[in-house]
Amino acid sequence: MTTPLHERRIANAIRVLAMDAVQKANSGHPGAPMGMADIAEVVWREFLNHNPTNPQWPNRDRFVLSNGHGSMLHYALLHLTGYDLSLEDLKQFRQLHAKTPGHPEYGYAPGVETTTGPLGQGIANAVGFALAEKTLAAQFNTADFNVVDHFTYCFLGDGCLMEGISHEVCSLAGTLGLGKLIAYYDDNGISIDGEVEAWFSDDTEQRFLAYGWQVIRVDGHDAAAIHQATVDAKAESNKPSLIICKTVIGLGSPNKQGKEDCHGAPLGQDEIALTRQALGWAEAAFDIPADIYAAWDAKEKGKQSEAQWNTLFAQYQASYPSQAEQLLRRLTGDLPADFNDKANAYIAETNEKAETIASRKASQNALQAFGPLLPELLGGSADLAGSNLTLWKGCQSVEADAAGNYVHYGVREFGMTAIANGIALHGGFIPYVATFLMFMEYARNAVRMSALMKQRVIHVYTHDSIGLGEDGPTHQPVEQIASLRGTPNLNTWRPADTVETATAWKSALQRKDGPTALILSRQNLAFQNRDQAQIADIAKGAYILGQEKGELKAIIIATGSEVGLAMDAYAQLEGVRVVSMPCAEIFVQQDPAYREAVLPSHIRARVAIEAAHVDYWWKFVGLDGKVIGMQSYGESAPAKDLYQHFGITTDAVVAAVQELTA
């Protein structure tokens, strides 16, 4: 069966907008939008519950275009259904400052739920959306009110399935029984290099059945079949569903459909003319007839859906006022009104205890203090909870209880991090995820996406240096901290003791405009004495921990475990200041007067010390200074021996200062 003529003409609006916009930009991917138009027509017109006049309606269905190179499919859908995305916006496809960049970017066009483009991360975000929906529903729904009740729809392609992250997240989605996740696989057999069968011969159906998914095969150009498959997918509440849609890439193009020619390049004016003729589309470029707009328009239906939910939620508020208030607070991302005061009280208490413990343990203590205050925390670790110390006494696994607050992600660092991005985007939660700092490398691109999308995700990384010892260079991070610090919009904290760790957690939790990385030690770190002013200044990213005795001659800058070495050197020197810099990104955002007070520009004798790659620190010490750290990979040995072997010692700091001030 093929799509009826009327539905096919409605779907053709996507095809012509996609090929026209890509042609005008002279750049883009027309094939996927043209091939998936019939699927999109069914999903968006018959199933997607959304309100174009309020794209942030909390109970809307989420839609993710994981194969983000086909962005004109998404933009066409948003425009046609009535979002604030004009025809002129489509004409500005891929142009500077347009709402329609080359790949969907969160925060540019209304209705785009996540940034996609790096293949596989969209389906990972979709798993995060579905997990957030299921957990939030379990926490807030009652026997008489389902105030959290929506689906996540995801389009994906061959590239998403070839990327390893799809295995990580789809395996976990099956295990967690995310029945409200429905994915549509654009099985067109074509990628940029040509026919994929030569390099992608997986049995996708069997693969997903093995994950515990429901799998349905359909003709991706048969509207009735797509409709029935979606009905069946929605009816399966215990399993996510994969609908494998056999499609023709670039459908409608007489000479390029079914070929790689239409994957990543404009069709060309001559081929567009032939395609219009083949589709029976007589209108000029970007011209959509009024009856087609009317067929797509979802504004009134969306307003009615939201109004019905608003009525339901008002009844919920009347019956369960405290739960409703908490849900609204969590959806806005606001912390409880008393959090700041209670967090400060905990930091003061931590200072009084003066414990010498590992910063990973200090992190767990902070979680134990903050967790009961923040029911929105949704934690997890990549099979290292006992090492990362991310479990606290109030943790309950979502695997055992859907209303829980902790996810055992298994050995899935990349998938875990991208899922956390989806959880943050969904709203209602502050996700934190953890692994060894070395294995941040597996998750690197998803960390970048946290920062790119300005999402409040807390990345906990323990075993932060050669200090982890005997596991050797495969597990000892060297260049990773510099990589994180070089990521725009990511705050990277490497605290020196319990008080700095508690402050780092407070900062991460209060930050609403981006992610935070917490870099924590395996080994114990000496407690540092501070007065109240110094404790307050930790939140500024850097502060004077050791005030110089007499005239200031030199400055030692240190982070994390090396602050102890700096303070030991400080005890042997005169005229030396120690600056603890747990978060350089926050420090450089301080006003010039504060920065100058901490690091006076006229003091050129500066030494930085960190058990990580030296290159990052030259911007703080200048070419006249010295950096003590790593310029090679580590070795397998006890931590004390490694610090001595690599020259990261108190004696080395003293010698460096003496040389600079001689």
Side-chain angles (χ1 to χ4, degrees):
M1 179 180 176
T2 58
T3 299
L5 181 61
H6 182 60
E7 283 78 5
R8 173 60 58 83
R9 180 164 171 76
I10 294 170
N12 283 345
I14 297 172
R15 295 185 169 98
V16 296
L17 286 174
M19 66 184 186
D20 288 344
V22 170
Q23 186 65 40
K24 186 175 187 301
N26 196 30
S27 175
H29 300 257
M34 296 173 74
M36 297 194 77
D38 297 316
I39 307 167
E41 185 270 325
V42 173
V43 173
W44 277 66
R45 292 186 64 239
E46 300 179 26
F47 292 98
L48 193 70
N49 192 22
H50 63 125
N51 183 5
T53 63
N54 182 13
Q56 297 304 311
W57 169 39
N59 202 47
R60 68 193 181 279
D61 288 339
R62 270 48 168 195
F63 173 79
V64 177
L65 183 69
S66 189
N67 45 344
H69 55 271
S71 57
M72 267 309 304
L73 172 66
H74 203 172
Y75 299 145
L77 288 164
L78 293 170
H79 169 70
L80 290 166
T81 54
Y83 285 80
D84 183 19
L85 197 67
S86 68
L87 206 57
E88 187 59 32
D89 290 324
L90 301 192
K91 292 178 182 179
Q92 293 301 307
F93 179 55
R94 290 186 166 229
Q95 304 309 300
L96 185 62
H97 303 313
K99 290 183 179 180
T100 49
H103 293 82
E105 299 278 358
Y106 178 76
Y108 283 61
V112 172
E113 301 282 2
T114 181
T115 298
T116 57
L119 293 175
Q121 287 199 65
I123 180 61
N125 296 161
V127 172
F129 282 128
L131 174 57
E133 190 277 341
K134 182 175 182 177
T135 304
L136 201 65
Q139 291 179 357
F140 284 97
N141 287 352
T142 64
D144 43 349
F145 295 106
N146 286 331
V147 291
V148 180
D149 183 16
H150 61 80
F151 284 82
T152 299
Y153 297 94
C154 180
F155 287 4
L156 59 120
D158 292 310
C160 296
L161 294 181
M162 282 188 265
E163 291 286 358
I165 189 174
S166 69
H167 166 77
E168 296 183 28
V169 301
C170 293
S171 168
L172 185 60
T175 298
L176 295 176
L178 302 180
K180 288 187 174 179
L181 172 60
I182 304 175
Y184 299 78
Y185 165 34
D186 180 25
D187 183 15
N188 61 42
I190 297 293
S191 68
I192 290 175
D193 281 354
E195 297 180 6
V196 301
E197 61 184 10
W199 51 85
F200 182 52
S201 58
D202 301 12
D203 188 331
T204 299
E205 179 176 357
Q206 290 300 315
R207 170 185 166 186
F208 276 78
L209 288 172
Y211 292 153
W213 288 52
Q214 173 181 226
V215 181
I216 306 169
R217 286 186 175 271
V218 298
D219 177 349
H221 303 298
D222 184 336
I226 298 164
H227 176 95
Q228 187 58 51
T230 306
V231 170
D232 294 342
K234 293 186 70 172
E236 174 52 78
S237 60
N238 297 317
K239 297 178 180 181
S241 294
L242 178 71
I243 302 176
I244 300 176
C245 303
K246 193 62 181 176
T247 63
V248 177
I249 191 171
L251 184 71
S253 170
N255 298 306
K256 296 188 177 183
Q257 69 177 26
K259 301 176 183 179
E260 64 270 24
D261 297 22
C262 65
H263 187 294
L267 297 182
Q269 293 291 3
D270 291 343
E271 187 66 17
I272 286 177
L274 292 173
T275 303
R276 276 186 153 73
Q277 184 177 0
L279 295 176
W281 193 275
E283 288 75 18
F286 295 103
D287 186 2
I288 305 297
D291 66 317
I292 299 297
Y293 273 125
W296 275 106
D297 192 351
K299 292 192 293 294
E300 287 306 314
K301 181 180 178 183
K303 289 177 183 178
Q304 292 174 13
S305 294
E306 182 176 357
Q308 292 172 358
W309 182 83
N310 287 339
T311 299
L312 178 72
F313 191 78
Q315 296 169 345
Y316 178 75
Q317 282 180 304
S319 300
Y320 305 96
S322 61
Q323 292 97 315
E325 181 181 8
Q326 184 186 126
L327 177 57
L328 289 175
R329 177 189 67 77
R330 286 173 55 172
L331 289 173
T332 63
D334 293 334
L335 300 183
D338 60 354
F339 175 78
N340 188 69
D341 290 342
K342 289 184 176 180
N344 287 338
Y346 172 71
I347 292 170
E349 176 187 334
T350 300
N351 186 58
E352 291 174 6
K353 287 183 177 179
E355 293 179 297
T356 291
I357 57 177
S359 54
R360 62 170 175 162
K361 179 60 179 176
S363 170
Q364 186 181 47
N365 291 346
L367 277 169
Q368 186 60 53
F370 297 152
L373 309 177
L374 301 172
E376 56 263 50
L377 280 178
L378 184 57
S381 171
D383 200 45
L384 289 168
S387 293
N388 300 146
L389 301 186
T390 45
L391 285 167
W392 53 282
K393 293 179 182 178
C395 283
Q396 175 66 44
S397 167
V398 300
E399 293 86 353
D401 180 358
N405 60 359
Y406 195 86
V407 184
H408 291 278
Y409 284 101
V411 187
R412 300 181 176 99
E413 295 88 354
F414 192 7
M416 169 185 72
T417 308
I419 287 171
N421 291 341
I423 292 170
L425 287 159
H426 179 278
F429 294 101
I430 301 175
Y432 66 92
V433 290
T435 186
F436 289 172
L437 176 57
M438 186 66 249
F439 303 136
M440 175 279 297
E441 295 287 0
Y442 286 128
R444 186 69 186 85
N445 198 261
V447 177
R448 182 178 188 269
M449 298 302 286
S450 298
L452 183 65
M453 294 188 286
K454 302 179 180 178
Q455 291 304 298
R456 180 161 54 182
V457 179
I458 301 173
H459 305 280
V460 178
Y461 298 123
T462 68
H463 297 60
D464 67 340
S465 70
I466 58 171
L468 67 89
E470 292 84 349
D471 277 337
T474 62
H475 282 53
Q476 292 167 8
V478 172
E479 71 275 28
Q480 284 66 38
I481 300 176
S483 174
L484 290 169
R485 288 182 178 136
T487 303
N489 201 44
L490 175 68
N491 286 349
T492 300
W493 284 81
R494 188 170 184 247
D497 66 357
T498 54
V499 175
E500 286 193 6
T501 303
T503 303
W505 263 106
K506 179 192 173 200
S507 173
L509 290 164
Q510 290 183 323
R511 187 182 186 206
K512 295 179 71 173
D513 62 350
T516 301
L518 304 180
I519 312 299
L520 308 170
S521 74
R522 176 195 188 189
Q523 72 273 29
N524 289 343
L525 305 183
F527 175 80
Q528 303 297 332
N529 292 308
R530 305 172 184 82
D531 60 30
Q532 292 302 312
Q534 288 172 309
I535 292 173
D537 283 345
I538 295 172
K540 297 177 182 177
Y543 64 102
I544 302 170
L545 177 61
Q547 188 71 49
E548 63 272 11
K549 301 183 246 344
E551 180 186 356
L552 177 62
K553 298 177 181 178
I555 299 173
I556 303 171
I557 306 170
T559 77
S561 47
E562 288 69 68
V563 169
L565 297 178
M567 291 302 290
D568 289 344
Y570 168 78
Q572 302 178 33
L573 297 164
E574 296 290 332
V576 172
R577 170 183 297 184
V578 172
V579 171
S580 178
M581 190 178 290
C583 186
E585 297 81 16
I586 292 178
F587 174 65
V588 299
Q589 294 172 8
Q590 301 305 308
D591 63 76
Y594 180 78
R595 298 199 307 268
E596 179 67 18
V598 174
L599 295 176
S601 54
H602 70 280
I603 302 299
R604 306 296 292 274
R606 299 184 183 188
V607 177
I609 175 170
E610 186 174 58
H613 202 285
V614 299
D615 278 2
Y616 178 79
W617 289 104
W618 294 111
K619 66 181 180 180
F620 288 107
V621 302
L623 295 179
D624 296 330
K626 288 186 175 293
V627 182
I628 297 171
M630 297 294 295
Q631 298 187 64
S632 67
Y633 295 112
E635 295 287 348
S636 179
K640 183 178 179 181
D641 295 342
L642 290 173
Y643 273 83
Q644 189 69 38
H645 173 73
F646 288 109
I648 305 174
T649 63
T650 298
D651 289 345
V653 178
V654 171
V657 171
Q658 290 174 339
E659 180 182 344
L660 290 174
T661 56

